[in-house]
Amino acid sequence: MAIEQKDSLFTLVKSLSKSEKRQFKLYVGRLGGNSEANFMSLFNLLDKVASYNDELILKKTNIKKQQISNTKAHLYKQILVSLRFNPVHQNVKAQIREQFDFASILYSKGLYKQSLKILDKAKDLALNNDENNLAYGIVEFEKIIESQYITRSMSNRADELSEQAKELSLKNVRTSKLSNLSLQLYSLLLKQGYVKDESDSNLVNEYFEKRLPKYKLSELGFMEKLFLYKAHLWKSLILQDFVSSYKYAQKWVDLFEGSPEMKKQNTVFYLKGLNYLLESLFLIRHKAKFKNVVDTFKFDIDERNITLNENTLTLAFLYYNQNKLNSYFINGNFTEGLKFIPILVLELQDYKAKIDPHHIMLFYYKIGCMFFGAGKNEECIVYLEKIINNKDLKMREDLLCFSRVLNLVAHYEAGIDYNIEKLIVSTYKFLLKMNDLHDVQRKMIAFLKNLSNIYPQDLRKEFKKLHSELIKYQDHPYEKRAFLYLDIISWLESKIQNSTVEEIIRQKEKNKIH
């Protein structure tokens, strides 16, 4: 995942492990004089300082002002070359590209047979690992060599290569269309969340059908199936068809279970698949299966069945902890979950530079919900305001809306009502601006606005009235999304029964078992 810093070179230097720094120094020290070179002076300085500063470079090194840009560029390149030789960063794609480079060198020296031999091995490696784009490039190179030099290959070599290029081209075009569809739907999910009405639903279905390429499942390779399942999953989530999202998330994970070596080659995709399988199981409240998948997640990390590097470790932290929070929600154990929050917040600081704002926002919302469920409303408000006051957030509009609705409820519960009218007006305006004011939210806001006019002895009756009005929306195709973000029904039942939200939810879960 991307690390956002002002200076890319400084960020790269700070991302290096001790062993990577040691390897870099050995790499540049292979030639005499490099240890005194400007770029090494710059490296040693950046390694020591806490922040990037041009003035400090001029003061602490022999680098002149007009040399800074070129020295930085040279150091950046040398670090990347050094990292490329590190076994930790070697993977199938790197091996294929390396063999391709070797073949290019042999070709330029006129050693055509040797070049073709290496290309053939590289192509097999690419095809066996479903790296069809790389395989296509290799076939095109083979065609160039065959067209320039009589290699005494088999007589049908030209036909064979032409057919292979055609098949790979078709596969790559199909994969590209599926990945484009998957990416666009994922972008829509991040920006808007779940569909709001039938018009939204029709648009999503039309968009999907129009861009889904024709295919026979039996003809699809690993990556084609992966992007196909991903596209179906995003569509299902957007449409709030959570049974279908579970189905395709399971197909996604099963794809990797059927090809275990792909867990190491495409760890990022595997982790994402596990995460969305867990999210789907959470949404359909399948507790037993949810626990099993969490255990599988932890087992794969502990047993190193996946490739572990800074990127995948960040994703593992992100997905594992999001679902750990969900494990408290699914069982209604909010008070117990509060013990986990300080640990999470501390670890989140270490990963904050590597996690995008969308996922930071999700963490804050879930933490806010944890405090709300445990009756700690003032703490809940603190985390919701981190979302509300962040004007740079442009994603997951529905989550931005429900943060404000929950913020209203938390203010009421905490007894912080001196500015409740102003808060109600601003929330109402925001929902209108986002085109997200629906019946559940409208009734909630109207109820909270009218609270000051209700006599204390009539409160319970009003809570019951609102409960009866809202419960009919629980299975509504579009209004039900409100309850995915905020279990307002359980909150109302807690007010009616003079209980806590936590007790109500735990009792509901217990009743499901029996």
Side-chain angles (χ1 to χ4, degrees):
M1 302 183 72
I3 305 174
E4 293 189 10
Q5 293 273 355
K6 289 183 178 179
D7 188 86
S8 55
L9 173 63
F10 180 75
T11 305
L12 178 61
V13 171
K14 290 302 180 184
S15 75
L16 299 176
S17 65
K18 286 183 180 179
S19 65
E20 287 171 339
K21 290 174 187 176
R22 186 168 57 251
Q23 179 183 307
F24 174 68
K25 289 179 179 180
L26 289 170
Y27 167 73
V28 297
R30 72 199 186 283
L31 296 174
N34 268 349
S35 59
E36 302 300 323
N38 279 346
F39 77 89
M40 272 309 296
S41 300
L42 180 58
F43 175 81
N44 291 327
L45 177 65
L46 295 181
D47 188 29
K48 292 174 185 174
V49 298
S51 60
Y52 181 83
N53 187 315
D54 276 349
E55 295 303 319
L56 195 62
I57 294 172
L58 295 172
K59 184 178 178 181
K60 295 288 185 180
T61 71
N62 294 323
I63 303 170
K64 294 179 174 60
K65 190 171 184 179
Q66 60 269 30
Q67 295 176 315
I68 289 180
S69 180
N70 286 339
T71 306
K72 285 174 63 179
H74 183 60
L75 175 56
Y76 194 92
K77 181 181 178 181
Q78 292 300 315
I79 292 173
L80 290 179
V81 172
S82 171
L83 289 173
R84 188 184 179 196
F85 292 132
N86 194 314
V88 173
H89 302 291
Q90 292 294 316
N91 54 36
V92 167
K93 286 184 180 179
Q95 291 171 33
I96 296 167
R97 291 191 187 105
E98 183 180 60
Q99 293 300 308
F100 189 92
D101 290 343
F102 290 161
S104 297
I105 292 167
L106 292 169
Y107 169 72
S108 67
K109 292 182 70 64
L111 301 173
Y112 304 119
K113 285 187 177 181
Q114 291 182 45
S115 179
L116 285 170
K117 188 175 181 181
I118 288 179
L119 286 174
D120 197 47
K121 288 181 179 178
K123 182 170 65 179
D124 284 344
L125 186 60
L127 292 172
N128 289 336
N129 286 275
D130 218 54
E131 296 292 346
N132 294 325
N133 269 318
L134 293 175
Y136 181 77
I138 292 169
V139 171
E140 288 299 307
F141 194 14
E142 286 180 305
K143 284 162 65 179
I144 290 171
I145 298 174
E146 293 286 355
S147 67
Q148 289 184 342
Y149 178 71
I150 300 172
T151 61
R152 296 183 184 176
S153 301
M154 60 186 79
S155 58
N156 64 343
R157 179 69 167 158
D159 291 339
E160 180 188 294
L161 287 174
S162 297
E163 187 61 31
Q164 203 167 40
K166 182 181 175 183
E167 287 176 11
L168 285 168
S169 178
L170 288 171
K171 272 185 168 293
N172 288 332
V173 167
R174 190 161 54 203
T175 301
S176 180
K177 286 182 178 179
L178 288 168
S179 65
N180 287 344
L181 176 58
S182 168
L183 182 62
Q184 290 298 327
L185 290 169
Y186 182 56
S187 174
L188 187 64
L189 177 66
L190 289 185
K191 187 178 186 299
Q192 297 180 3
Y194 306 121
V195 291
K196 301 178 181 70
D197 49 39
E198 190 172 352
S199 174
D200 278 359
S201 182
N202 289 337
L203 284 173
V204 171
N205 278 315
E206 285 172 17
Y207 185 93
F208 184 87
E209 295 301 329
K210 186 177 178 180
R211 288 163 177 79
L212 183 68
K214 294 180 179 179
Y215 66 90
K216 287 183 181 178
L217 193 61
S218 59
E219 295 176 354
L220 301 186
F222 184 93
M223 296 305 293
E224 291 166 290
K225 286 180 181 177
L226 177 62
F227 287 121
L228 174 67
Y229 298 152
K230 285 173 73 175
H232 275 288
L233 171 68
W234 306 143
K235 186 188 80 161
S236 301
L237 283 173
I238 293 169
L239 296 177
Q240 302 178 68
D241 183 355
F242 302 128
V243 173
S244 182
S245 70
Y246 160 62
K247 171 187 170 184
Y248 284 104
Q250 187 66 66
K251 283 178 178 289
W252 179 341
V253 172
D254 287 345
L255 200 58
F256 282 92
E257 295 299 343
S259 303
E261 71 282 358
M262 284 297 189
K263 288 186 183 181
K264 286 186 177 290
Q265 298 300 337
N266 294 282
T267 297
V268 169
F269 287 148
Y270 175 60
L271 290 176
K272 283 181 177 289
L274 280 177
N275 179 57
Y276 282 101
L277 176 57
L278 285 165
E279 182 172 329
S280 300
L281 290 167
F282 173 71
L283 290 167
I284 62 176
R285 292 297 191 269
H286 198 317
K287 290 201 291 185
K289 179 75 173 173
F290 181 90
K291 184 181 182 306
N292 289 339
V293 177
V294 169
D295 291 342
T296 298
F297 197 153
K298 193 168 188 312
F299 178 80
D300 278 335
I301 295 170
D302 293 343
E303 295 299 313
R304 303 184 77 85
N305 292 332
I306 58 177
T307 298
L308 294 177
N309 52 39
E310 287 188 53
N311 185 37
T312 55
L313 283 171
T314 300
L315 286 174
F317 165 82
L318 177 66
Y319 297 149
Y320 184 77
N321 285 288
Q322 278 184 356
N323 288 294
K324 191 169 176 64
L325 288 172
N326 284 344
S327 70
Y328 292 112
F329 292 138
I330 205 169
N331 292 300
N333 295 330
F334 299 101
T335 302
E336 185 184 338
L338 291 185
K339 299 173 187 174
F340 172 61
I341 298 300
I343 302 166
L344 174 60
V345 170
L346 201 61
E347 290 183 342
L348 195 55
Q349 290 304 313
D350 295 332
Y351 282 95
K352 200 169 181 179
K354 300 179 183 179
I355 298 175
D356 60 82
H358 166 74
H359 285 102
I360 295 289
M361 178 176 69
L362 275 177
F363 270 122
Y364 287 161
Y365 188 79
K366 287 178 182 292
I367 291 170
C369 288
M370 188 76 77
F371 279 117
F372 179 76
K376 304 288 185 180
N377 295 290
E378 291 186 15
E379 291 90 339
C380 169
I381 292 167
V382 169
Y383 280 93
L384 294 177
E385 287 183 345
K386 288 177 184 289
I387 303 169
I388 294 166
N389 295 332
N390 190 331
K391 305 305 178 186
D392 296 326
L393 293 172
K394 304 295 182 187
M395 294 177 286
R396 205 62 183 258
E397 291 172 358
D398 51 354
L399 200 56
L400 295 175
C401 295
F402 283 103
S403 294
R404 284 163 171 76
V405 176
L406 179 55
N407 187 46
L408 270 181
V409 179
H411 271 79
Y412 167 73
E413 282 287 77
I416 308 173
D417 54 4
Y418 59 88
N419 67 340
I420 197 84
E421 288 292 329
K422 185 179 177 183
L423 209 57
I424 287 170
V425 171
S426 67
T427 301
Y428 191 85
K429 284 182 177 178
F430 186 86
L431 295 176
L432 282 176
K433 180 184 172 185
M434 289 291 179
N435 191 28
D436 201 26
L437 187 61
H438 287 254
D439 284 350
V440 170
Q441 296 158 325
R442 199 186 302 275
K443 290 179 185 295
M444 276 291 304
I445 291 173
F447 173 78
L448 291 168
K449 191 175 183 180
N450 193 45
L451 272 175
S452 58
N453 301 322
I454 301 171
Y455 292 110
Q457 63 268 25
D458 294 331
L459 265 177
R460 191 164 178 270
K461 184 174 73 176
E462 292 299 319
F463 278 122
K464 279 186 172 181
K465 181 181 174 184
L466 181 61
H467 181 272
S468 65
E469 287 177 356
L470 294 187
I471 200 157
K472 63 186 178 184
Y473 291 114
Q474 271 194 310
D475 296 318
H476 190 279
Y478 308 111
E479 293 286 349
K480 69 179 181 183
R481 73 195 182 96
F483 307 110
L484 300 173
Y485 292 104
L486 174 59
D487 191 351
I488 205 68
I489 298 296
S490 293
W491 174 68
L492 289 170
E493 289 169 355
S494 75
K495 308 306 291 182
I496 294 166
Q497 297 177 33
N498 194 27
S499 183
T500 65
V501 173
E502 185 169 31
E503 287 168 346
I504 294 294
I505 291 175
R506 291 177 76 169
Q507 188 58 50
K508 285 180 180 179
E509 292 301 323
K510 194 181 290 184
N511 291 341
K512 283 180 186 177
I513 296 171
H514 300 297

